[in-house]
Amino acid sequence: MRRLAGSLGWRDIALVVAGLAIGLTVAYFDSRPTWDDTGITVAVLLLTAGMLAGLSGRRPWLWAVLVGAWTPLLEIPLDGEWLSILALAAAGIGAALGYWVVSSARRPG
């Protein structure tokens, strides 16, 4: 763990905290019985993971997991909603796109 923490700068640590906070907040709201707007949940996960991966410029898998894993981790034990695993897929797509956009912009030519 020390090696991983040593390779993370302050900006990455702030991004990790933001990703965890947003991911947990989305998971909390999505697990409420009165919340029934999958489109907003997917959009927030996709955009958040994309922005974090773009700002970091590396480790898109990390941002996808930090943002998207909490929804299925709450939903599956509480409601048995296995389709909530798609939240992780949405975060993965967002992180991959965010990383791709930033890495493409950095390439010369």
Side-chain angles (χ1 to χ4, degrees):
M1 181 69 178
R2 182 174 169 90
R3 182 176 171 193
L4 177 63
S7 67
L8 293 177
W10 285 108
R11 186 173 100 187
D12 285 334
I13 292 171
L15 293 175
V16 166
V17 170
L20 286 172
I22 294 170
L24 285 167
T25 302
V26 168
Y28 171 77
F29 280 110
D30 194 56
S31 69
R32 303 288 60 132
T34 57
W35 183 259
D36 191 27
D37 203 337
T38 305
I40 292 175
T41 300
V42 169
V44 170
L45 292 173
L46 192 122
L47 291 172
T48 300
M51 285 190 300
L52 293 174
L55 288 170
S56 172
R58 55 189 180 157
R59 297 185 184 112
W61 60 269
L62 174 66
W63 310 113
V65 171
L66 282 176
V67 173
W70 303 106
T71 300
L73 285 175
L74 281 176
E75 294 265 339
I76 292 171
L78 290 176
D79 301 329
E81 288 289 330
W82 286 94
L83 280 177
S84 63
I85 199 78
L86 295 176
L88 186 56
I93 291 167
L97 287 173
Y99 176 77
W100 176 75
V101 166
V102 169
S103 63
S104 295
R106 289 184 184 162
R107 282 190 217 135

